[in-house]
Amino acid sequence: MPLLKKKAFPLLEPPKDLDPNELVYQVRFTKEIFRDYQIYLNRINLYRQRIWTCIVSGKGNLTYEEALVSEKHATKKVPEIPKELMAMALCTIQFSMLSLKDLADKIAAKLQETLFIGAVLHGNRKKSGLCPCKILKVLEEGTVKTKYEVAWLDRNKKVIETAIVNRNDLIWKKSPFSRNSLKPFIRKSTYRSFPWVLHDKLAEKYQISRDPPQDLEGKVFIQDGIVYNKRKKDAMDVEESGKLKKKKVEGEEAEATGKNNQQKEEPIKYPIDDLLVQPGTDDPVFKARPLPSRDFKVPMDCVGDLLMVWDFCSSYCKLLHLLPFSLEDFENAICHKGSNVTLIVETHSSLLRLLKHDKDEYFSAVQKRTRALKITLTNWTEYLCDFIEIINIGDFSTNITTIKRGHYGLLDAQVKLGILRELVNQVLGTDIVREKLAEYVEERQVLFATKRGEALEEGRKKREKEQLKAKSVSNGVMNGHSADIIGNNQHLYANGNHIGQNGQVAKKKGEVFSARPNNPSKRSESSHSIIKSKETGKKKNMNAESQAENAMDVTKKEALILLRDEKKYCSKTEQQRAK
């Protein structure tokens, strides 16, 4: 089992009240069963993360499935330790504080000292010296195993003879268990290191104590059947005490203020997964997507053909000369065991009639046979058999005899829908249906073009209304300014003594008027030119918005010039009188 953060990850048990016909979600490589899709998806995403470690080889940064594959390959390299030595090896591992390398060396040394039945090693043969041999039996003298019955082997590993030898006469030419081969065995047998602790089932099988020894009493402790370090316990105690203090402080603050302090939400760092995006206040409320319906009388692998045939008959009912019918009625007719169901007969007859009118392979085949010109309730099966023979599909050809005998209703729903599917496919290739499809496509294009033109016309009218409204507003503002300025000018003209002596010459629109105070003869011309320029400016205001703005600027300048000339004239007359 792969490790998560150097700890065993337990798999979920299947639901107890599971119905055999209930639809569930299952993880392929762990066989876990889920009813809720969201929980299943969360577990799959966890397994796909590269946070898993192979329990045998110790490789990390793997997905759960990759760790399983690595464990499978590494297990093949794990040596098979004899049962006689398994207990000794596991006792050496249990609660050992050695490193993996030192622990493997220690186990290898112990296994090399102990001989077991079936071990192949070398013995000191009196006549031939060192020869390969195989231990057949361990002989006991009292309570100490000192002698072994061995079989001497030749080069082909065949038994030559047997003999009884002492332990000192037997030697290992090569160590049976190396350090590298024992490392995977140690990892596979334990669920934690420092100290190394065996799995409960393994320790129970070989009757190995699961209680820590006395020399580790102050270093490790057991909680919920799991062995922890002392540092882990201290950290847990500190964490629990910290939580208690925090709860106490929060309780006091809540009593003082009467409100619980809510922790500030951490800001979201984008980009994030789409599923993690929280809906906003303006977003619409989406309802849960309904589950797909599976309440069909036909097999689930035939539902697609059922929907396709029904949709075609409903869409082209006018072309087929059929009255519209519901999907439920069509499904009941397919499942009915009667041979002359009206809905089935009319559907087949309409499709066959359309194929007959189209001069193709089916038409020529029907002409060669003596068939009635009209497809009726009594002969529609003959036309259907002709069609099945023409398409020559093996699964359908075997049912021709049943149809000819008048037992069409005894066919399976899958066969009935398959025949209708082929009929619809052939009808779709006829010229009549293709021409009708072309007409529908053309009508749809015309409809889209009409809607597009109407939308463009509405947009144009809307823009014209907005432009007219803007012009009317601007013209009203300009007319108000012009009336105010003309009133001021008339007030200035009423003082004829002053303006009469300040003659002005009207130039082109937009130019500044020059003042000549000592030329009273041109006084009337300037007044007439100013009035004329105002009238022309007012007319142009009605023609274009830009010209109106220019006229407004001109009238403002005129008024300012007249006021300035009047002040100059008054100051000069006062100076002359003073002289």
Side-chain angles (χ1 to χ4, degrees), residues 112-144:
Q112 190 171 359
E113 293 175 359
T114 308
L115 302 182
F116 53 92
I117 297 174
V120 178
L121 62 167
H122 286 73
N124 189 7
R125 196 176 180 186
K126 294 180 180 180
K127 297 179 181 180
S128 303
L130 287 177
C131 294
C133 63
K134 183 178 181 180
I135 297 177
L136 300 177
K137 190 177 181 181
V138 179
L139 301 177
E140 297 182 4
E141 290 185 358
T143 58
V144 182

mmCIF file of all heavy atoms in Angstrom, residues 112-144:
data_model
loop_
_atom_site.group_PDB
_atom_site.id
_atom_site.type_symbol
_atom_site.label_atom_id
_atom_site.label_comp_id
_atom_site.label_asym_id
_atom_site.label_seq_id
_atom_site.Cartn_x
_atom_site.Cartn_y
_atom_site.Cartn_z
ATOM 1 N N GLN A 112 22.753 -15.194 8.048
ATOM 2 C CA GLN A 112 23.893 -15.963 7.562
ATOM 3 C C GLN A 112 24.386 -16.960 8.613
ATOM 4 O O GLN A 112 24.892 -18.030 8.279
ATOM 5 C CB GLN A 112 25.028 -15.011 7.161
ATOM 6 C CG GLN A 112 26.159 -15.685 6.416
ATOM 7 C CD GLN A 112 27.146 -14.686 5.864
ATOM 8 O OE1 GLN A 112 26.964 -13.474 6.038
ATOM 9 N NE2 GLN A 112 28.178 -15.164 5.198
ATOM 10 N N GLU A 113 24.216 -16.627 9.850
ATOM 11 C CA GLU A 113 24.646 -17.531 10.919
ATOM 12 C C GLU A 113 23.714 -18.721 11.071
ATOM 13 O O GLU A 113 24.126 -19.803 11.476
ATOM 14 C CB GLU A 113 24.720 -16.774 12.251
ATOM 15 C CG GLU A 113 25.816 -15.724 12.296
ATOM 16 C CD GLU A 113 25.780 -14.929 13.569
ATOM 17 O OE1 GLU A 113 24.861 -15.214 14.396
ATOM 18 O OE2 GLU A 113 26.612 -14.027 13.759
ATOM 19 N N THR A 114 22.444 -18.524 10.760
ATOM 20 C CA THR A 114 21.448 -19.574 10.964
ATOM 21 C C THR A 114 21.223 -20.323 9.658
ATOM 22 O O THR A 114 20.958 -19.707 8.620
ATOM 23 C CB THR A 114 20.138 -18.974 11.454
ATOM 24 O OG1 THR A 114 20.400 -18.150 12.589
ATOM 25 C CG2 THR A 114 19.147 -20.061 11.825
ATOM 26 N N LEU A 115 21.296 -21.638 9.721
ATOM 27 C CA LEU A 115 21.047 -22.480 8.557
ATOM 28 C C LEU A 115 19.619 -23.006 8.605
ATOM 29 O O LEU A 115 19.050 -23.210 9.683
ATOM 30 C CB LEU A 115 22.034 -23.646 8.538
ATOM 31 C CG LEU A 115 23.527 -23.255 8.528
ATOM 32 C CD1 LEU A 115 24.390 -24.505 8.455
ATOM 33 C CD2 LEU A 115 23.854 -22.321 7.386
ATOM 34 N N PHE A 116 19.076 -23.283 7.441
ATOM 35 C CA PHE A 116 17.684 -23.711 7.346
ATOM 36 C C PHE A 116 17.573 -24.780 6.276
ATOM 37 O O PHE A 116 18.458 -24.953 5.418
ATOM 38 C CB PHE A 116 16.776 -22.521 7.020
ATOM 39 C CG PHE A 116 17.204 -21.738 5.803
ATOM 40 C CD1 PHE A 116 16.692 -22.048 4.545
ATOM 41 C CD2 PHE A 116 18.120 -20.711 5.909
ATOM 42 C CE1 PHE A 116 17.088 -21.338 3.434
ATOM 43 C CE2 PHE A 116 18.507 -19.990 4.797
ATOM 44 C CZ PHE A 116 18.006 -20.302 3.554
ATOM 45 N N ILE A 117 16.477 -25.500 6.305
ATOM 46 C CA ILE A 117 16.254 -26.583 5.349
ATOM 47 C C ILE A 117 16.047 -25.999 3.953
ATOM 48 O O ILE A 117 15.268 -25.056 3.763
ATOM 49 C CB ILE A 117 15.030 -27.424 5.777
ATOM 50 C CG1 ILE A 117 15.291 -28.084 7.126
ATOM 51 C CG2 ILE A 117 14.692 -28.470 4.725
ATOM 52 C CD1 ILE A 117 14.089 -28.813 7.680
ATOM 53 N N GLY A 118 16.749 -26.559 2.997
ATOM 54 C CA GLY A 118 16.679 -26.091 1.623
ATOM 55 C C GLY A 118 17.781 -25.138 1.240
ATOM 56 O O GLY A 118 17.893 -24.777 0.065
ATOM 57 N N ALA A 119 18.598 -24.726 2.207
ATOM 58 C CA ALA A 119 19.690 -23.809 1.913
ATOM 59 C C ALA A 119 20.771 -24.530 1.107
ATOM 60 O O ALA A 119 21.148 -25.661 1.422
ATOM 61 C CB ALA A 119 20.261 -23.243 3.194
ATOM 62 N N VAL A 120 21.248 -23.881 0.049
ATOM 63 C CA VAL A 120 22.319 -24.425 -0.783
ATOM 64 C C VAL A 120 23.596 -23.676 -0.431
ATOM 65 O O VAL A 120 23.671 -22.463 -0.602
ATOM 66 C CB VAL A 120 21.978 -24.280 -2.279
ATOM 67 C CG1 VAL A 120 23.132 -24.815 -3.125
ATOM 68 C CG2 VAL A 120 20.690 -25.011 -2.615
ATOM 69 N N LEU A 121 24.601 -24.414 0.050
ATOM 70 C CA LEU A 121 25.867 -23.823 0.441
ATOM 71 C C LEU A 121 26.983 -24.831 0.143
ATOM 72 O O LEU A 121 26.753 -25.820 -0.577
ATOM 73 C CB LEU A 121 25.843 -23.416 1.896
ATOM 74 C CG LEU A 121 25.642 -24.477 2.972
ATOM 75 C CD1 LEU A 121 25.961 -23.891 4.340
ATOM 76 C CD2 LEU A 121 24.233 -25.010 2.991
ATOM 77 N N HIS A 122 28.148 -24.603 0.673
ATOM 78 C CA HIS A 122 29.285 -25.492 0.424
ATOM 79 C C HIS A 122 29.698 -26.176 1.727
ATOM 80 O O HIS A 122 29.660 -25.547 2.793
ATOM 81 C CB HIS A 122 30.466 -24.718 -0.155
ATOM 82 C CG HIS A 122 30.250 -24.346 -1.604
ATOM 83 N ND1 HIS A 122 29.371 -23.376 -1.996
ATOM 84 C CD2 HIS A 122 30.831 -24.841 -2.743
ATOM 85 C CE1 HIS A 122 29.382 -23.252 -3.319
ATOM 86 N NE2 HIS A 122 30.275 -24.146 -3.789
ATOM 87 N N GLY A 123 30.079 -27.485 1.589
ATOM 88 C CA GLY A 123 30.524 -28.258 2.736
ATOM 89 C C GLY A 123 31.882 -28.896 2.482
ATOM 90 O O GLY A 123 32.294 -29.107 1.338
ATOM 91 N N ASN A 124 32.538 -29.197 3.573
ATOM 92 C CA ASN A 124 33.868 -29.799 3.490
ATOM 93 C C ASN A 124 33.714 -31.313 3.387
ATOM 94 O O ASN A 124 33.468 -31.998 4.380
ATOM 95 C CB ASN A 124 34.689 -29.407 4.717
ATOM 96 C CG ASN A 124 36.130 -29.826 4.586
ATOM 97 O OD1 ASN A 124 36.569 -30.294 3.529
ATOM 98 N ND2 ASN A 124 36.882 -29.695 5.670
ATOM 99 N N ARG A 125 33.843 -31.809 2.155
ATOM 100 C CA ARG A 125 33.751 -33.245 1.918
ATOM 101 C C ARG A 125 35.145 -33.860 2.062
ATOM 102 O O ARG A 125 36.126 -33.326 1.521
ATOM 103 C CB ARG A 125 33.192 -33.503 0.524
ATOM 104 C CG ARG A 125 32.696 -34.918 0.317
ATOM 105 C CD ARG A 125 32.071 -35.031 -1.061
ATOM 106 N NE ARG A 125 31.572 -36.379 -1.311
ATOM 107 C CZ ARG A 125 31.089 -36.780 -2.485
ATOM 108 N NH1 ARG A 125 31.050 -35.914 -3.516
ATOM 109 N NH2 ARG A 125 30.661 -38.015 -2.644
ATOM 110 N N LYS A 126 35.214 -34.959 2.738
ATOM 111 C CA LYS A 126 36.516 -35.525 3.081
ATOM 112 C C LYS A 126 37.323 -35.895 1.834
ATOM 113 O O LYS A 126 38.519 -35.639 1.755
ATOM 114 C CB LYS A 126 36.325 -36.750 3.958
ATOM 115 C CG LYS A 126 35.725 -36.422 5.325
ATOM 116 C CD LYS A 126 35.559 -37.659 6.158
ATOM 117 C CE LYS A 126 34.957 -37.331 7.522
ATOM 118 N NZ LYS A 126 34.781 -38.551 8.364
ATOM 119 N N LYS A 127 36.690 -36.460 0.832
ATOM 120 C CA LYS A 127 37.438 -36.934 -0.334
ATOM 121 C C LYS A 127 37.666 -35.826 -1.363
ATOM 122 O O LYS A 127 38.732 -35.731 -1.949
ATOM 123 C CB LYS A 127 36.685 -38.083 -0.997
ATOM 124 C CG LYS A 127 36.527 -39.306 -0.092
ATOM 125 C CD LYS A 127 35.760 -40.386 -0.818
ATOM 126 C CE LYS A 127 35.576 -41.621 0.072
ATOM 127 N NZ LYS A 127 34.822 -42.700 -0.606
ATOM 128 N N SER A 128 36.655 -34.991 -1.561
ATOM 129 C CA SER A 128 36.727 -34.026 -2.660
ATOM 130 C C SER A 128 36.935 -32.593 -2.208
ATOM 131 O O SER A 128 36.969 -31.681 -3.034
ATOM 132 C CB SER A 128 35.428 -34.093 -3.470
ATOM 133 O OG SER A 128 35.192 -35.389 -3.936
ATOM 134 N N GLY A 129 37.049 -32.309 -0.920
ATOM 135 C CA GLY A 129 37.194 -30.929 -0.453
ATOM 136 C C GLY A 129 35.855 -30.223 -0.410
ATOM 137 O O GLY A 129 34.820 -30.804 -0.063
ATOM 138 N N LEU A 130 35.829 -28.915 -0.773
ATOM 139 C CA LEU A 130 34.583 -28.136 -0.747
ATOM 140 C C LEU A 130 33.706 -28.534 -1.918
ATOM 141 O O LEU A 130 34.131 -28.468 -3.087
ATOM 142 C CB LEU A 130 34.881 -26.641 -0.803
ATOM 143 C CG LEU A 130 35.459 -26.013 0.467
ATOM 144 C CD1 LEU A 130 35.767 -24.546 0.236
ATOM 145 C CD2 LEU A 130 34.500 -26.181 1.634
ATOM 146 N N CYS A 131 32.484 -28.923 -1.605
ATOM 147 C CA CYS A 131 31.513 -29.309 -2.630
ATOM 148 C C CYS A 131 30.172 -28.673 -2.300
ATOM 149 O O CYS A 131 29.828 -28.482 -1.124
ATOM 150 C CB CYS A 131 31.375 -30.835 -2.687
ATOM 151 S SG CYS A 131 32.859 -31.683 -3.247
ATOM 152 N N PRO A 132 29.416 -28.373 -3.324
ATOM 153 C CA PRO A 132 28.083 -27.835 -3.058
ATOM 154 C C PRO A 132 27.177 -28.886 -2.434
ATOM 155 O O PRO A 132 27.234 -30.073 -2.801
ATOM 156 C CB PRO A 132 27.588 -27.413 -4.436
ATOM 157 C CG PRO A 132 28.368 -28.224 -5.401
ATOM 158 C CD PRO A 132 29.703 -28.470 -4.774
ATOM 159 N N CYS A 133 26.327 -28.426 -1.546
ATOM 160 C CA CYS A 133 25.400 -29.328 -0.880
ATOM 161 C C CYS A 133 24.123 -28.581 -0.526
ATOM 162 O O CYS A 133 24.076 -27.349 -0.512
ATOM 163 C CB CYS A 133 26.039 -29.937 0.360
ATOM 164 S SG CYS A 133 26.454 -28.705 1.619
ATOM 165 N N LYS A 134 23.143 -29.370 -0.188
ATOM 166 C CA LYS A 134 21.838 -28.826 0.157
ATOM 167 C C LYS A 134 21.382 -29.458 1.460
ATOM 168 O O LYS A 134 21.437 -30.689 1.614
ATOM 169 C CB LYS A 134 20.835 -29.129 -0.948
ATOM 170 C CG LYS A 134 19.463 -28.551 -0.720
ATOM 171 C CD LYS A 134 18.545 -28.865 -1.892
ATOM 172 C CE LYS A 134 17.166 -28.280 -1.689
ATOM 173 N NZ LYS A 134 16.268 -28.592 -2.823
ATOM 174 N N ILE A 135 20.925 -28.632 2.395
ATOM 175 C CA ILE A 135 20.511 -29.137 3.698
ATOM 176 C C ILE A 135 19.150 -29.799 3.567
ATOM 177 O O ILE A 135 18.182 -29.186 3.090
ATOM 178 C CB ILE A 135 20.465 -28.005 4.739
ATOM 179 C CG1 ILE A 135 21.855 -27.410 4.942
ATOM 180 C CG2 ILE A 135 19.900 -28.502 6.056
ATOM 181 C CD1 ILE A 135 21.888 -26.251 5.885
ATOM 182 N N LEU A 136 19.085 -31.061 3.986
ATOM 183 C CA LEU A 136 17.853 -31.829 3.927
ATOM 184 C C LEU A 136 17.131 -31.868 5.269
ATOM 185 O O LEU A 136 15.902 -31.878 5.323
ATOM 186 C CB LEU A 136 18.144 -33.260 3.467
ATOM 187 C CG LEU A 136 18.787 -33.408 2.079
ATOM 188 C CD1 LEU A 136 19.076 -34.871 1.800
ATOM 189 C CD2 LEU A 136 17.909 -32.820 0.997
ATOM 190 N N LYS A 137 17.911 -31.892 6.353
ATOM 191 C CA LYS A 137 17.293 -32.058 7.660
ATOM 192 C C LYS A 137 18.222 -31.522 8.730
ATOM 193 O O LYS A 137 19.443 -31.578 8.578
ATOM 194 C CB LYS A 137 16.997 -33.533 7.902
ATOM 195 C CG LYS A 137 16.143 -33.820 9.133
ATOM 196 C CD LYS A 137 15.844 -35.313 9.236
ATOM 197 C CE LYS A 137 14.980 -35.610 10.450
ATOM 198 N NZ LYS A 137 14.697 -37.063 10.584
ATOM 199 N N VAL A 138 17.646 -30.976 9.782
ATOM 200 C CA VAL A 138 18.423 -30.478 10.918
ATOM 201 C C VAL A 138 18.310 -31.511 12.035
ATOM 202 O O VAL A 138 17.208 -31.825 12.506
ATOM 203 C CB VAL A 138 17.921 -29.106 11.380
ATOM 204 C CG1 VAL A 138 18.737 -28.619 12.568
ATOM 205 C CG2 VAL A 138 17.972 -28.102 10.245
ATOM 206 N N LEU A 139 19.464 -32.047 12.466
ATOM 207 C CA LEU A 139 19.486 -33.058 13.520
ATOM 208 C C LEU A 139 19.749 -32.388 14.844
ATOM 209 O O LEU A 139 20.610 -31.501 14.956
ATOM 210 C CB LEU A 139 20.563 -34.098 13.221
ATOM 211 C CG LEU A 139 20.413 -34.836 11.889
ATOM 212 C CD1 LEU A 139 21.583 -35.786 11.690
ATOM 213 C CD2 LEU A 139 19.110 -35.583 11.829
ATOM 214 N N GLU A 140 19.026 -32.777 15.883
ATOM 215 C CA GLU A 140 19.156 -32.165 17.194
ATOM 216 C C GLU A 140 19.877 -33.120 18.131
ATOM 217 O O GLU A 140 19.618 -34.328 18.150
ATOM 218 C CB GLU A 140 17.786 -31.838 17.783
ATOM 219 C CG GLU A 140 17.001 -30.820 16.984
ATOM 220 C CD GLU A 140 15.668 -30.492 17.629
ATOM 221 O OE1 GLU A 140 15.397 -31.012 18.728
ATOM 222 O OE2 GLU A 140 14.921 -29.724 17.028
ATOM 223 N N GLU A 141 20.771 -32.558 18.880
ATOM 224 C CA GLU A 141 21.426 -33.305 19.959
ATOM 225 C C GLU A 141 21.110 -32.579 21.252
ATOM 226 O O GLU A 141 21.724 -31.562 21.571
ATOM 227 C CB GLU A 141 22.939 -33.388 19.733
ATOM 228 C CG GLU A 141 23.321 -34.280 18.563
ATOM 229 C CD GLU A 141 24.810 -34.425 18.444
ATOM 230 O OE1 GLU A 141 25.507 -33.797 19.266
ATOM 231 O OE2 GLU A 141 25.278 -35.132 17.535
ATOM 232 N N GLY A 142 20.154 -33.076 21.968
ATOM 233 C CA GLY A 142 19.684 -32.365 23.160
ATOM 234 C C GLY A 142 18.823 -31.194 22.730
ATOM 235 O O GLY A 142 17.812 -31.345 22.061
ATOM 236 N N THR A 143 19.244 -30.018 23.097
ATOM 237 C CA THR A 143 18.496 -28.799 22.746
ATOM 238 C C THR A 143 19.254 -27.938 21.759
ATOM 239 O O THR A 143 18.792 -26.868 21.397
ATOM 240 C CB THR A 143 18.232 -27.965 24.021
ATOM 241 O OG1 THR A 143 19.478 -27.657 24.639
ATOM 242 C CG2 THR A 143 17.354 -28.748 24.986
ATOM 243 N N VAL A 144 20.412 -28.353 21.340
ATOM 244 C CA VAL A 144 21.229 -27.540 20.436
ATOM 245 C C VAL A 144 21.293 -28.230 19.086
ATOM 246 O O VAL A 144 21.573 -29.427 19.005
ATOM 247 C CB VAL A 144 22.650 -27.327 21.007
ATOM 248 C CG1 VAL A 144 23.454 -26.436 20.062
ATOM 249 C CG2 VAL A 144 22.572 -26.739 22.392
#
